């Protein structure tokens, strides 16, 4: 947590100070004694600033890691006297049972197992990753174009497999319209992605309204973690450079290869493969 969110020694101490009352009920007595008030059984910035020599005021700023990443929650009252609480998601992380923040689940779904990438799709991944990694530490969005969903998901899954990322998907229509809600989603997703090496696939639609496209643009512009756009048409998104590739349905030979890979070639599948061959011969599955 300290490494991924850039916490100083003092900020780490504040996180542990806030975790104490949740993990050990006796800790509230220590806090009350430190405050000199039996009613103040909670941590505060003021207490932390007074108690530790490495304390620094910059840790209290809303743009500093503790508050920017929503690692702690500031209660009612003045900045130094308000009660502090550790974010529930972070508490579970520290307890060793990290998962997806429930506030993300209405918007984001995990990438379920998809079909393997075809030879052409693997070549597209080679080119994308070669160009992408050439940008160094800069996060440049990738854009996958084409009318069909599955080829784009297969390319995204292959990218995640090669780079060791955990893939997730969000539909463009599910992005919040309100700027405040979208900003909250951005922060929650980014901290999840930083801690769990996650990448996000944003799936667009032909039917996206202009307001929805605008939400996608601002969301992508503000993300500082890996993001891939899956769009049905070639349109500019946001103000950052994009690396694009056009995906298409697998060829007839690639479809057969995928079927063989999924079904196997044992005798029990022989008749099924034969049936599939007859279907292919009668219908143009690429139409």
């Amino acid at each position: 947590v300290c490494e991924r969110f850039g916490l100083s020694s003092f900020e780490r101490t504040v996180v542990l100070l806030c975790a104490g009352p949740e993990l050990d009920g006796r800790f509230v007595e220590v806090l009350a004694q430190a405050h000199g008030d039996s009613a103040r059984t909670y941590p505060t910035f003021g207490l932390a600033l007074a108690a530790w020599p490495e304390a620094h005021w910059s840790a209290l700023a809303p743009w500093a890691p503790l508050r920017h990443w929503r690692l702690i929650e500031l209660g009612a009252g003045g900045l130094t006297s308000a009660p502090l609480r550790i974010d529930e998601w972070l508490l579970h992380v520290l307890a060793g049972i990290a998962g997806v923040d429930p506030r993300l689940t209405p918007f984001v779904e995990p990438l379920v197992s998809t079909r393997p990438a075809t030879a052409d799709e693997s070549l597209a991944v080679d080119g994308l990753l070669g160009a992408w990694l050439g940008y160094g530490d800069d996060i440049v969005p990738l854009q996958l174009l084409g009318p069909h969903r599955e080829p784009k998901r297969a390319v995204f899954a292959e990218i995640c497999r090669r780079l060791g990322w955990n893939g997730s998907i969000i539909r463009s229509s599910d992005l919040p319209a309100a700027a405040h809600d979208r900003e909250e989603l951005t922060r929650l997703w980014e901290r999840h992605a930083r801690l769990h090496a996650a990448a996000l696939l944003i799936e667009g639609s032909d039917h996206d309204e202009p307001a929805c496209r605008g939400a996608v643009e601002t969301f992508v512009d503000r993300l500082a973690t890996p993001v891939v756009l899956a769009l049905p048409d070639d349109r500019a998104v946001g103000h950052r450079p994009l690396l694009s590739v056009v995906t298409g349905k697998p060829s007839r030979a690639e479809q057969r290869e995928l079927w063989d890979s999924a079904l196997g070639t044992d005798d029990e599948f022989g008749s099924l493969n034969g049936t599939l061959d007859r279907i292919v011969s009668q219908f143009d599955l690429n139409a």
Side-chain angles (χ1 to χ4, degrees):
V1 168
C2 291
E3 177 187 353
R4 297 299 173 87
F5 299 113
L7 302 187
S8 67
S9 174
F10 175 61
E11 289 165 334
R12 175 183 184 273
T13 297
V14 173
V15 169
L16 293 177
L17 182 66
C18 295
E22 304 288 351
L23 299 176
D24 188 339
R26 297 169 297 179
F27 201 72
V28 295
E29 300 175 8
V30 177
L31 291 170
Q33 292 175 12
H35 282 296
D37 184 346
S38 60
R40 301 179 70 190
T41 58
Y42 48 81
T44 65
F45 274 133
L47 178 61
L49 289 168
W52 279 278
E54 73 271 21
H56 55 92
W57 184 265
S58 60
L60 283 61
W63 51 83
L66 291 177
R67 296 175 64 191
H68 175 80
W69 295 116
R70 319 292 201 261
L71 303 182
I72 61 170
E73 299 171 358
L74 189 65
L79 179 59
T80 59
S81 60
L84 298 180
R85 288 192 61 184
I86 187 171
D87 182 81
E88 182 183 354
W89 170 82
L90 179 59
L91 181 65
H92 294 315
V93 169
L94 298 183
I97 51 172
V100 179
D101 190 316
R103 289 168 289 187
L104 282 176
T105 53
F107 306 100
V108 179
E109 63 183 80
L111 175 68
V112 297
S113 57
T114 185
R115 63 166 176 76
T118 64
D120 285 344
E121 290 165 353
S122 294
L123 287 175
V125 171
D126 290 340
L128 282 171
L129 293 184
W132 202 8
L133 297 177
Y135 280 86
D137 294 333
D138 293 336
I139 301 297
V140 177
L142 298 183
Q143 186 170 237
L144 306 177
L145 307 174
H148 305 292
R149 185 184 71 178
E150 282 308 312
K152 289 177 283 192
R153 286 197 175 191
V155 169
F156 177 64
E158 179 65 12
I159 291 172
C160 291
R161 185 190 68 80
R162 295 196 195 183
L163 297 180
W165 289 342
N166 297 298
S168 291
I169 299 171
I170 185 171
R171 291 176 175 83
S172 58
S173 57
D174 289 336
L175 285 173
H180 177 272
D181 295 335
R182 199 163 53 244
E183 179 69 13
E184 180 74 5
L185 177 61
T186 301
R187 289 290 168 266
L188 295 177
W189 169 257
E190 281 192 326
R191 72 179 192 176
H192 173 84
R194 282 172 176 261
L195 198 61
H196 298 291
L200 186 63
L201 178 69
I202 303 176
E203 289 189 331
S205 166
D206 283 327
H207 307 294
D208 285 347
E209 298 293 334
C212 177
R213 296 190 180 196
V216 171
E217 290 180 2
T218 55
F219 186 66
V220 170
D221 277 339
R222 296 187 69 85
L223 275 182
T225 52
V227 58
V228 178
L229 296 157
L231 302 174
D233 53 16
D234 186 4
R235 64 174 185 261
V237 174
H239 301 92
R240 297 158 67 186
L242 285 171
L243 294 173
S244 300
V245 67
V246 178
T247 63
K249 289 185 67 176
S251 66
R252 185 174 300 174
E254 288 173 330
Q255 289 179 29
R256 174 55 193 265
E257 182 180 348
L258 292 172
W259 287 333
D260 285 343
S261 175
L263 299 174
T265 55
D266 295 339
D267 291 341
E268 61 182 298
F269 294 117
S271 60
L272 180 55
N273 275 329
T275 301
L276 293 174
D277 282 340
R278 289 193 293 274
I279 293 174
V280 170
S281 66
Q282 296 180 39
F283 299 97
D284 180 5
L285 296 186
N286 289 314

